Amino acid sequence: MAKVDLIIIGNGMSGGRLLDEILKRDPDRFRITVFGAEGCANYNRIMLSPVLAGDIKADDIITHSEQWYRDHNITLHSNDPVIAIDAENRTLTCQSGSLFSYDTLVLATGSDAVIPPAARDCDLDGILSFRNLADIDRIMSRAGNSRHATVIGGGLLGLEAAWGLRQQGLEVTVIHRGGWLLNRQLDPAAGKLLQQSLEARGISFRLNAEITQFSADQTLYSDESSAIRAGGSESEVHPTSEKPSLQHITLNDGTVLNTCLAVIAIGITPNHKLAKISGFDCDRGVLVNDRMQSSHPNIYALGECTQFGNHTFGLVAPLWDQAMVLADQLCQSSDSRFSVQPCATKLKVSGIDLFSAGEFLDSPETESVVCQDTTSGVYRKLIFRDQILTGVVLYGAVNDGNWYFELIQDRQQAQHLAPELIFGLRYCDAESISRLTPVGVEQVQTSAPELSLATGASS
Protein backbone atom coordinates (compact mmCIF):
# COMPACT_ATOMS: atom_id res chain seq x y z
CA MET A 1 0.00 0.00 0.00
CA ALA A 2 1.32 3.45 -0.92
CA LYS A 3 2.34 5.62 1.97
CA VAL A 4 0.27 8.66 2.89
CA ASP A 5 2.08 12.02 2.68
CA LEU A 6 1.79 13.57 6.15
CA ILE A 7 3.21 17.03 6.75
CA ILE A 8 3.54 18.52 10.22
CA ILE A 9 4.09 22.28 10.44
CA GLY A 10 5.88 22.84 13.73
CA ASN A 11 8.74 21.01 15.40
CA GLY A 12 7.96 21.77 19.04
CA MET A 13 6.98 19.50 21.89
CA SER A 14 3.49 18.74 20.56
CA GLY A 15 4.78 17.80 17.13
CA GLY A 16 7.49 15.63 18.64
CA ARG A 17 5.01 13.85 20.85
CA LEU A 18 2.73 13.23 17.88
CA LEU A 19 5.62 11.63 16.00
CA ASP A 20 6.30 9.33 18.95
CA GLU A 21 2.65 8.32 19.14
CA ILE A 22 2.40 7.66 15.39
CA LEU A 23 5.54 5.53 15.39
CA LYS A 24 4.14 3.47 18.27
CA ARG A 25 0.96 2.71 16.34
CA ASP A 26 1.93 2.37 12.70
CA PRO A 27 5.52 3.38 11.80
CA ASP A 28 5.15 2.46 8.12
CA ARG A 29 1.86 4.18 7.38
CA PHE A 30 3.12 7.67 6.49
CA ARG A 31 5.79 9.45 4.53
CA ILE A 32 6.40 12.20 7.10
CA THR A 33 7.80 15.68 6.53
CA VAL A 34 8.27 18.17 9.37
CA PHE A 35 8.81 21.92 9.09
CA GLY A 36 10.45 23.63 12.07
CA ALA A 37 10.86 27.36 12.53
CA GLU A 38 13.66 27.41 15.10
CA GLY A 39 16.40 25.83 13.04
CA CYS A 40 17.33 23.23 15.63
CA ALA A 41 16.34 19.80 16.83
CA ASN A 42 13.27 19.16 19.00
CA TYR A 43 13.75 19.91 22.69
CA ASN A 44 11.89 19.93 25.98
CA ARG A 45 10.75 23.53 26.35
CA ILE A 46 9.63 23.11 29.95
CA MET A 47 13.29 22.59 30.91
CA LEU A 48 14.39 26.03 29.70
CA SER A 49 14.60 27.43 33.23
CA PRO A 50 17.22 24.86 34.41
CA VAL A 51 19.24 25.74 31.30
CA LEU A 52 18.99 29.42 32.20
CA ALA A 53 20.03 28.64 35.77
CA GLY A 54 23.10 26.77 34.50
CA ASP A 55 22.00 23.48 36.07
CA ILE A 56 21.99 21.69 32.70
CA LYS A 57 23.11 22.40 29.15
CA ALA A 58 20.97 22.97 26.09
CA ASP A 59 22.04 19.62 24.66
CA ASP A 60 20.61 17.91 27.74
CA ILE A 61 17.05 18.87 26.84
CA ILE A 62 17.10 17.63 23.24
CA THR A 63 14.36 15.02 22.81
CA HIS A 64 14.59 14.36 19.05
CA SER A 65 17.99 14.98 17.49
CA GLU A 66 18.52 15.50 13.77
CA GLN A 67 19.93 11.98 13.67
CA TRP A 68 16.67 10.69 15.22
CA TYR A 69 14.72 12.09 12.25
CA ARG A 70 17.11 10.41 9.82
CA ASP A 71 16.91 7.11 11.69
CA HIS A 72 13.11 7.14 11.40
CA ASN A 73 13.05 8.28 7.74
CA ILE A 74 11.40 11.57 8.63
CA THR A 75 12.33 14.59 6.52
CA LEU A 76 13.05 17.69 8.61
CA HIS A 77 13.12 21.19 7.10
CA SER A 78 14.49 23.93 9.34
CA ASN A 79 14.86 27.66 8.74
CA ASP A 80 12.41 27.61 5.82
CA PRO A 81 9.03 28.41 7.38
CA VAL A 82 5.73 27.68 5.68
CA ILE A 83 4.08 30.93 4.61
CA ALA A 84 0.90 29.74 2.86
CA ILE A 85 -1.45 26.75 2.71
CA ASP A 86 -3.69 25.99 -0.26
CA ALA A 87 -6.25 23.68 1.35
CA GLU A 88 -8.21 23.16 -1.88
CA ASN A 89 -5.19 21.85 -3.80
CA ARG A 90 -3.48 20.34 -0.74
CA THR A 91 -0.23 22.23 -1.18
CA LEU A 92 1.87 24.54 0.96
CA THR A 93 4.48 27.13 0.10
CA CYS A 94 7.68 27.86 2.04
CA GLN A 95 9.51 31.15 2.39
CA SER A 96 12.11 29.91 -0.12
CA GLY A 97 9.35 29.45 -2.71
CA SER A 98 9.42 25.67 -2.51
CA LEU A 99 6.04 23.98 -3.01
CA PHE A 100 5.03 20.77 -1.22
CA SER A 101 1.94 18.61 -1.56
CA TYR A 102 0.30 16.59 1.18
CA ASP A 103 -2.47 14.10 1.80
CA THR A 104 -2.87 15.01 5.47
CA LEU A 105 -1.64 18.15 7.20
CA VAL A 106 -1.11 18.90 10.89
CA LEU A 107 -0.64 22.40 12.29
CA ALA A 108 1.51 22.47 15.43
CA THR A 109 2.67 26.07 15.26
CA GLY A 110 2.75 26.61 19.01
CA SER A 111 2.38 29.98 20.68
CA ASP A 112 3.92 33.44 20.91
CA ALA A 113 4.87 35.37 24.01
CA VAL A 114 2.34 37.97 25.14
CA ILE A 115 4.03 41.36 24.97
CA PRO A 116 2.89 44.14 27.35
CA PRO A 117 1.66 47.33 25.67
CA ALA A 118 4.64 49.38 26.83
CA ALA A 119 7.06 47.04 25.01
CA ARG A 120 5.21 46.61 21.71
CA ASP A 121 6.60 49.69 19.99
CA CYS A 122 9.75 49.96 22.08
CA ASP A 123 12.97 49.32 20.17
CA LEU A 124 15.45 49.09 23.03
CA ASP A 125 18.21 46.57 23.47
CA GLY A 126 17.67 44.51 26.62
CA ILE A 127 13.94 43.73 26.42
CA LEU A 128 13.71 39.98 25.82
CA SER A 129 11.14 37.19 25.87
CA PHE A 130 11.59 33.76 27.45
CA ARG A 131 10.16 31.14 25.11
CA ASN A 132 12.94 29.18 23.37
CA LEU A 133 16.64 28.34 23.28
CA ALA A 134 17.44 31.39 21.17
CA ASP A 135 15.87 33.53 23.91
CA ILE A 136 18.09 31.79 26.47
CA ASP A 137 21.19 32.65 24.44
CA ARG A 138 20.15 36.31 24.23
CA ILE A 139 19.33 36.49 27.93
CA MET A 140 22.62 34.86 28.94
CA SER A 141 24.58 37.21 26.69
CA ARG A 142 22.92 40.21 28.28
CA ALA A 143 23.07 38.84 31.82
CA GLY A 144 26.84 38.43 31.60
CA ASN A 145 27.22 42.21 31.66
CA SER A 146 24.41 43.00 34.09
CA ARG A 147 23.99 43.16 37.85
CA HIS A 148 20.21 43.42 37.88
CA ALA A 149 17.36 41.91 35.90
CA THR A 150 13.65 42.61 35.92
CA VAL A 151 11.20 39.84 35.14
CA ILE A 152 7.73 40.86 34.01
CA GLY A 153 5.25 38.22 35.13
CA GLY A 154 4.68 36.35 38.40
CA GLY A 155 3.29 33.17 36.85
CA LEU A 156 5.06 29.84 36.45
CA LEU A 157 7.29 30.90 33.57
CA GLY A 158 8.18 34.24 35.13
CA LEU A 159 9.13 32.79 38.50
CA GLU A 160 11.23 30.08 36.90
CA ALA A 161 12.99 32.72 34.81
CA ALA A 162 13.55 34.84 37.91
CA TRP A 163 15.07 31.91 39.77
CA GLY A 164 17.30 31.05 36.81
CA LEU A 165 18.63 34.61 36.67
CA ARG A 166 19.12 34.64 40.42
CA GLN A 167 21.17 31.45 40.09
CA GLN A 168 23.36 33.34 37.63
CA GLY A 169 24.16 35.82 40.40
CA LEU A 170 21.93 38.70 39.32
CA GLU A 171 19.71 40.76 41.58
CA VAL A 172 16.18 40.14 40.38
CA THR A 173 12.93 42.07 40.69
CA VAL A 174 9.65 40.51 39.55
CA ILE A 175 6.85 42.83 38.42
CA HIS A 176 3.43 41.20 38.62
CA ARG A 177 0.06 42.76 37.92
CA GLY A 178 -1.73 40.32 40.26
CA GLY A 179 -2.18 40.67 43.99
CA TRP A 180 -0.24 37.48 44.73
CA LEU A 181 2.12 35.14 42.91
CA LEU A 182 0.76 32.34 40.72
CA ASN A 183 -2.69 33.88 41.05
CA ARG A 184 -4.02 31.46 38.41
CA GLN A 185 -2.90 28.41 40.38
CA LEU A 186 -2.71 29.39 44.07
CA ASP A 187 -4.94 31.14 46.57
CA PRO A 188 -3.64 34.27 48.36
CA ALA A 189 -2.36 32.36 51.42
CA ALA A 190 -0.24 29.95 49.38
CA GLY A 191 0.88 32.78 47.13
CA LYS A 192 2.13 34.70 50.15
CA LEU A 193 4.11 31.70 51.41
CA LEU A 194 5.68 31.34 47.98
CA GLN A 195 6.61 35.02 47.92
CA GLN A 196 8.26 34.75 51.33
CA SER A 197 10.29 31.75 50.22
CA LEU A 198 11.50 33.49 47.07
CA GLU A 199 12.29 36.70 48.95
CA ALA A 200 14.46 34.65 51.28
CA ARG A 201 16.35 33.55 48.16
CA GLY A 202 17.04 37.15 47.18
CA ILE A 203 14.24 37.90 44.72
CA SER A 204 12.18 41.06 45.26
CA PHE A 205 8.64 41.73 44.08
CA ARG A 206 6.37 44.53 42.94
CA LEU A 207 2.77 43.27 43.07
CA ASN A 208 -0.33 45.00 41.68
CA ALA A 209 2.08 46.74 39.34
CA GLU A 210 2.26 47.33 35.62
CA ILE A 211 4.91 48.91 33.41
CA THR A 212 4.00 52.17 31.73
CA GLN A 213 7.34 52.87 30.05
CA PHE A 214 10.67 51.33 29.09
CA SER A 215 13.30 54.01 28.70
CA ALA A 216 16.91 54.58 27.66
CA ASP A 217 16.88 58.02 29.24
CA GLN A 218 20.07 58.65 31.23
CA THR A 219 18.38 61.06 33.65
CA LEU A 220 18.81 60.30 37.35
CA TYR A 221 15.41 60.03 38.99
CA SER A 222 14.45 61.43 42.34
CA ASP A 223 13.09 58.09 43.59
CA GLU A 224 16.62 56.80 44.26
CA SER A 225 15.53 54.39 46.98
CA SER A 226 13.37 52.40 44.57
CA ALA A 227 16.11 52.28 41.98
CA ILE A 228 18.71 51.20 44.52
CA ARG A 229 16.41 48.53 45.94
CA ALA A 230 15.92 47.18 42.43
CA GLY A 231 19.68 47.13 41.86
CA GLY A 232 21.47 48.15 38.72
CA SER A 233 22.96 51.33 37.37
CA GLU A 234 22.98 53.26 34.15
CA SER A 235 26.42 52.09 33.07
CA GLU A 236 26.37 48.45 34.07
CA VAL A 237 25.82 47.08 30.54
CA HIS A 238 27.90 47.40 27.42
CA PRO A 239 25.39 47.65 24.57
CA THR A 240 25.28 44.55 22.38
CA SER A 241 23.67 46.26 19.39
CA GLU A 242 23.34 49.64 17.76
CA LYS A 243 19.92 50.12 19.35
CA PRO A 244 19.65 52.28 22.47
CA SER A 245 20.05 50.21 25.61
CA LEU A 246 17.33 49.79 28.23
CA GLN A 247 18.12 51.72 31.39
CA HIS A 248 14.85 52.37 33.22
CA ILE A 249 11.41 50.92 33.80
CA THR A 250 8.57 53.14 35.00
CA LEU A 251 5.68 51.57 36.90
CA ASN A 252 2.07 52.71 37.03
CA ASP A 253 2.55 54.22 40.48
CA GLY A 254 5.38 56.43 39.20
CA THR A 255 8.21 54.35 40.63
CA VAL A 256 11.29 54.18 38.40
CA LEU A 257 13.56 51.13 38.50
CA ASN A 258 17.08 51.13 37.10
CA THR A 259 17.61 47.95 35.11
CA CYS A 260 19.36 46.92 31.91
CA LEU A 261 17.65 43.58 31.34
CA ALA A 262 13.91 42.98 31.19
CA VAL A 263 12.64 39.44 30.63
CA ILE A 264 9.00 39.23 29.56
CA ALA A 265 7.11 36.16 30.79
CA ILE A 266 3.48 37.22 31.23
CA GLY A 267 1.91 34.44 29.23
CA ILE A 268 1.41 33.03 25.76
CA THR A 269 -1.07 33.42 22.93
CA PRO A 270 -1.78 30.81 20.24
CA ASN A 271 0.21 31.27 17.05
CA HIS A 272 -2.57 30.92 14.48
CA LYS A 273 -1.33 33.48 11.96
CA LEU A 274 -0.64 30.91 9.22
CA ALA A 275 -4.00 29.22 9.74
CA LYS A 276 -5.85 32.52 9.68
CA ILE A 277 -4.31 33.85 6.47
CA SER A 278 -4.94 30.44 4.88
CA GLY A 279 -8.68 30.62 5.56
CA PHE A 280 -9.04 28.29 8.54
CA ASP A 281 -11.69 28.97 11.17
CA CYS A 282 -9.92 30.72 14.05
CA ASP A 283 -10.87 32.62 17.17
CA ARG A 284 -8.15 33.02 19.78
CA GLY A 285 -6.55 29.90 18.29
CA VAL A 286 -7.10 27.39 15.51
CA LEU A 287 -10.56 25.95 16.15
CA VAL A 288 -10.59 22.14 16.44
CA ASN A 289 -13.18 19.49 17.28
CA ASP A 290 -12.69 16.53 19.60
CA ARG A 291 -10.90 14.62 16.83
CA MET A 292 -8.44 17.55 16.54
CA GLN A 293 -9.81 18.39 13.07
CA SER A 294 -9.72 21.96 11.86
CA SER A 295 -12.42 23.46 9.65
CA HIS A 296 -10.85 21.43 6.79
CA PRO A 297 -11.45 17.66 7.23
CA ASN A 298 -7.95 16.53 6.15
CA ILE A 299 -6.17 19.24 8.14
CA TYR A 300 -5.65 18.85 11.87
CA ALA A 301 -4.10 20.96 14.61
CA LEU A 302 -2.71 20.30 18.05
CA GLY A 303 -0.83 21.99 20.84
CA GLU A 304 -0.66 25.58 21.96
CA CYS A 305 -1.94 26.91 18.62
CA THR A 306 -5.35 25.29 19.14
CA GLN A 307 -8.65 26.32 20.68
CA PHE A 308 -11.13 23.67 21.76
CA GLY A 309 -14.43 25.21 22.79
CA ASN A 310 -13.43 28.17 24.94
CA HIS A 311 -10.15 26.56 26.01
CA THR A 312 -6.62 27.34 24.88
CA PHE A 313 -3.63 25.45 26.25
CA GLY A 314 -0.25 26.09 27.83
CA LEU A 315 0.42 23.12 30.10
CA VAL A 316 1.92 19.86 28.88
CA ALA A 317 -0.74 17.36 30.01
CA PRO A 318 -3.51 18.42 27.60
CA LEU A 319 -1.01 18.62 24.75
CA TRP A 320 -0.03 15.00 25.36
CA ASP A 321 -3.71 14.04 25.40
CA GLN A 322 -4.21 15.82 22.09
CA ALA A 323 -1.23 14.02 20.55
CA MET A 324 -2.61 10.61 21.57
CA VAL A 325 -6.07 11.39 20.21
CA LEU A 326 -4.68 12.70 16.94
CA ALA A 327 -2.37 9.71 16.50
CA ASP A 328 -5.37 7.42 17.01
CA GLN A 329 -7.32 9.34 14.38
CA LEU A 330 -4.50 9.46 11.83
CA CYS A 331 -3.56 5.80 12.26
CA GLN A 332 -7.21 4.76 12.56
CA SER A 333 -6.26 2.69 15.58
CA SER A 334 -9.08 4.06 17.76
CA ASP A 335 -11.84 6.64 17.64
CA SER A 336 -10.67 8.31 20.84
CA ARG A 337 -11.84 11.87 21.48
CA PHE A 338 -10.22 14.83 23.21
CA SER A 339 -11.75 16.40 26.31
CA VAL A 340 -10.46 18.97 28.78
CA GLN A 341 -9.28 17.43 32.03
CA PRO A 342 -8.04 18.97 35.30
CA CYS A 343 -4.32 19.79 35.28
CA ALA A 344 -1.81 19.79 38.11
CA THR A 345 0.74 22.57 38.61
CA LYS A 346 4.27 22.31 40.00
CA LEU A 347 7.03 24.90 40.15
CA LYS A 348 10.62 24.08 39.13
CA VAL A 349 12.46 26.01 41.85
CA SER A 350 14.88 24.07 44.01
CA GLY A 351 13.74 23.75 47.61
CA ILE A 352 10.20 25.01 47.02
CA ASP A 353 7.44 22.42 47.01
CA LEU A 354 3.98 23.37 45.81
CA PHE A 355 1.15 21.55 44.10
CA SER A 356 -2.15 22.81 42.73
CA ALA A 357 -4.90 21.04 40.84
CA GLY A 358 -8.48 21.88 39.94
CA GLU A 359 -10.22 24.75 41.70
CA PHE A 360 -8.10 26.90 44.02
CA LEU A 361 -10.30 29.86 44.99
CA ASP A 362 -13.34 29.79 47.25
CA SER A 363 -16.75 30.61 45.83
CA PRO A 364 -20.34 30.65 47.16
CA GLU A 365 -20.85 27.22 45.58
CA THR A 366 -17.85 25.56 47.23
CA GLU A 367 -16.68 24.65 50.72
CA SER A 368 -13.06 24.41 51.73
CA VAL A 369 -10.97 22.86 54.49
CA VAL A 370 -7.64 24.47 55.36
CA CYS A 371 -4.73 23.29 57.50
CA GLN A 372 -1.76 25.60 58.01
CA ASP A 373 1.37 25.30 60.14
CA THR A 374 3.01 28.72 60.07
CA THR A 375 6.08 27.47 61.92
CA SER A 376 7.03 24.90 59.31
CA GLY A 377 5.55 26.75 56.34
CA VAL A 378 3.08 23.99 55.49
CA TYR A 379 -0.28 24.86 53.93
CA ARG A 380 -3.04 22.54 52.72
CA LYS A 381 -6.39 23.45 51.24
CA LEU A 382 -9.08 21.15 49.88
CA ILE A 383 -12.07 22.51 47.95
CA PHE A 384 -15.35 20.60 47.68
CA ARG A 385 -18.29 21.14 45.37
CA ASP A 386 -21.43 19.06 45.99
CA GLN A 387 -19.46 16.84 48.39
CA ILE A 388 -16.90 16.05 45.66
CA LEU A 389 -13.23 17.07 45.89
CA THR A 390 -12.70 19.55 43.06
CA GLY A 391 -9.49 21.33 44.05
CA VAL A 392 -6.34 21.11 46.11
CA VAL A 393 -3.59 23.58 47.00
CA LEU A 394 -0.50 22.27 48.79
CA TYR A 395 2.56 24.20 49.88
CA GLY A 396 5.53 22.77 51.77
CA ALA A 397 4.17 19.20 52.02
CA VAL A 398 3.17 17.94 48.61
CA ASN A 399 3.71 14.20 48.90
CA ASP A 400 -0.05 13.55 48.67
CA GLY A 401 -0.54 15.75 45.61
CA ASN A 402 -0.88 12.95 43.07
CA TRP A 403 -3.34 11.10 45.32
CA TYR A 404 -5.53 14.17 45.69
CA PHE A 405 -5.32 14.67 41.93
CA GLU A 406 -6.56 11.12 41.37
CA LEU A 407 -9.46 11.79 43.74
CA ILE A 408 -10.38 14.94 41.81
CA GLN A 409 -10.45 12.95 38.59
CA ASP A 410 -12.34 10.06 40.21
CA ARG A 411 -15.15 12.41 41.37
CA GLN A 412 -16.22 10.39 44.41
CA GLN A 413 -18.04 12.09 47.28
CA ALA A 414 -15.38 12.68 49.91
CA GLN A 415 -16.27 15.78 51.93
CA HIS A 416 -17.51 13.72 54.90
CA LEU A 417 -13.91 12.50 55.31
CA ALA A 418 -12.44 16.01 55.24
CA PRO A 419 -11.07 16.00 58.82
CA GLU A 420 -8.89 13.02 57.90
CA LEU A 421 -8.50 13.78 54.22
CA ILE A 422 -6.79 17.13 54.84
CA PHE A 423 -3.79 15.29 56.34
CA GLY A 424 -3.38 13.00 53.36
CA LEU A 425 -3.41 9.34 52.43
CA ARG A 426 -1.36 8.14 55.37
CA TYR A 427 -3.72 9.60 57.94
CA CYS A 428 -6.93 8.16 56.55
CA ASP A 429 -8.14 4.94 58.13
CA ALA A 430 -8.03 1.70 56.19
CA GLU A 431 -11.75 1.66 55.35
CA SER A 432 -11.67 5.24 54.05
CA ILE A 433 -8.59 4.51 51.94
CA SER A 434 -10.18 1.43 50.38
CA ARG A 435 -13.25 3.45 49.38
CA LEU A 436 -11.37 6.46 48.04
CA THR A 437 -8.06 5.22 46.66
CA PRO A 438 -8.27 4.92 42.86
CA VAL A 439 -6.89 1.83 41.15
CA GLY A 440 -3.10 1.90 40.95
CA VAL A 441 -2.51 4.09 44.03
CA GLU A 442 -0.74 2.29 46.85
CA GLN A 443 -2.64 1.99 50.13
CA VAL A 444 -0.56 2.84 53.19
CA GLN A 445 -1.22 2.75 56.92
CA THR A 446 0.93 4.89 59.14
CA SER A 447 1.57 5.41 62.82
CA ALA A 448 1.52 8.83 64.48
CA PRO A 449 5.32 9.40 64.36
CA GLU A 450 5.27 8.78 60.59
CA LEU A 451 2.41 11.25 60.26
CA SER A 452 4.62 14.13 61.31
CA LEU A 453 7.08 13.30 58.54
CA ALA A 454 4.34 13.07 55.95
CA THR A 455 2.35 16.19 56.79
CA GLY A 456 4.52 18.53 58.78
CA ALA A 457 2.08 18.16 61.72
CA SER A 458 3.29 17.24 65.19
CA SER A 459 1.68 14.52 67.27
Side-chain angles (χ1 to χ4, degrees), residues 1 3-4 6 18-32 68-69 71-74 327 330-331 333:
M1 185 176 69
K3 290 189 175 183
V4 175
L6 170 64
L18 176 62
L19 292 174
D20 291 337
E21 297 292 340
I22 289 174
L23 294 176
K24 284 181 192 176
R25 290 161 174 77
D26 195 345
D28 299 319
R29 186 181 187 90
F30 298 102
R31 184 183 297 107
I32 303 176
W68 182 91
Y69 289 91
D71 291 343
H72 292 85
N73 298 313
I74 297 171
L330 295 177
C331 297
S333 56

Side-chain angles (χ1 to χ4, degrees), residues 47-56 130 135-136 139-140 143 160-165 167-168 263:
M47 296 301 291
L48 286 175
S49 53
V51 175
L52 179 60
D55 296 334
I56 57 177
F130 180 52
D135 291 336
I136 296 293
I139 291 170
M140 293 295 289
E160 290 174 4
W163 178 240
L165 290 165
Q167 290 289 90
Q168 292 292 334
V263 177

Side-chain angles (χ1 to χ4, degrees), residues 150-170:
T150 301
V151 175
I152 298 97
L156 285 168
L157 192 64
L159 296 182
E160 290 174 4
W163 178 240
L165 290 165
R166 184 63 185 145
Q167 290 289 90
Q168 292 292 334
L170 277 70

Side-chain angles (χ1 to χ4, degrees), residues 186-239:
L186 302 179
D187 66 354
K192 183 64 175 178
L193 289 171
L194 174 60
Q195 180 180 343
Q196 292 170 348
S197 295
L198 291 171
E199 286 174 338
R201 288 163 169 77
I203 299 174
S204 59
F205 296 91
R206 295 294 182 120
L207 303 181
N208 296 306
E210 294 188 59
I211 295 172
T212 58
Q213 185 178 22
F214 295 91
S215 174
D217 183 6
Q218 300 297 311
T219 304
L220 287 174
Y221 291 84
S222 60
D223 190 358
E224 287 189 33
S225 60
S226 297
I228 292 172
R229 274 201 305 274
S233 68
E234 290 131 53
S235 59
E236 68 186 23
V237 162
H238 302 287

Side-chain angles (χ1 to χ4, degrees), residues 274-440:
L274 176 62
K276 195 168 185 178
I277 64 173
S278 300
F280 293 60
D281 289 348
C282 299
D283 184 14
R284 289 176 294 145
V286 183
L287 294 174
V288 294
N289 61 19
D290 58 2
R291 290 187 171 97
M292 307 312 299
Q293 286 177 315
S294 74
S295 51
H296 295 273
N298 66 314
I299 300 178
Y300 299 79
L302 86 158
E304 293 175 346
C305 70
T306 63
Q307 180 179 337
F308 177 71
N310 291 322
H311 299 274
T312 56
F313 306 94
L315 297 177
V316 170
L319 307 189
W320 276 194
D321 291 343
Q322 289 184 356
M324 288 189 287
V325 168
L326 183 50
D328 284 341
Q329 295 293 329
L330 295 177
C331 297
Q332 298 180 354
S333 56
S334 169
D335 191 28
S336 60
R337 306 297 182 92
F338 176 72
S339 62
V340 177
Q341 302 295 328
C343 290
T345 295
K346 297 179 182 178
L347 179 69
K348 293 185 294 296
V349 173
S350 177
I352 294 180
D353 296 317
L354 66 83
F355 183 94
S356 173
E359 297 186 84
F360 58 94
L361 294 177
D362 295 314
S363 73
E365 296 79 28
T366 63
E367 296 183 50
S368 62
V369 178
V370 174
C371 177
Q372 183 169 6
D373 184 341
T374 55
T375 302
S376 60
V378 172
Y379 179 81
R380 290 178 171 233
K381 179 179 182 178
L382 304 181
I383 296 180
F384 299 90
R385 183 183 291 270
D386 298 326
Q387 302 292 314
I388 295 171
L389 182 66
T390 58
V392 57
V393 177
L394 306 177
Y395 189 90
V398 300
N399 49 301
D400 288 308
N402 289 334
W403 181 60
Y404 286 130
F405 187 49
E406 292 282 353
L407 295 181
I408 291 172
Q409 293 177 308
D410 202 44
R411 296 191 58 80
Q412 291 189 50
Q413 291 193 351
Q415 187 172 352
H416 61 288
L417 297 172
E420 298 173 345
L421 203 63
I422 190 66
F423 292 109
L425 174 61
R426 296 187 177 189
Y427 194 65
C428 291
D429 61 58
E431 183 180 355
S432 298
I433 291 175
S434 65
R435 287 194 317 234
L436 287 177
T437 303
V439 175

Side-chain angles (χ1 to χ4, degrees), residues 122-139:
C122 184
D123 191 26
L124 295 178
D125 189 37
I127 304 174
L128 304 171
S129 57
F130 180 52
R131 289 290 298 142
N132 54 45
L133 282 173
D135 291 336
I136 296 293
D137 289 341
R138 287 188 284 266
I139 291 170

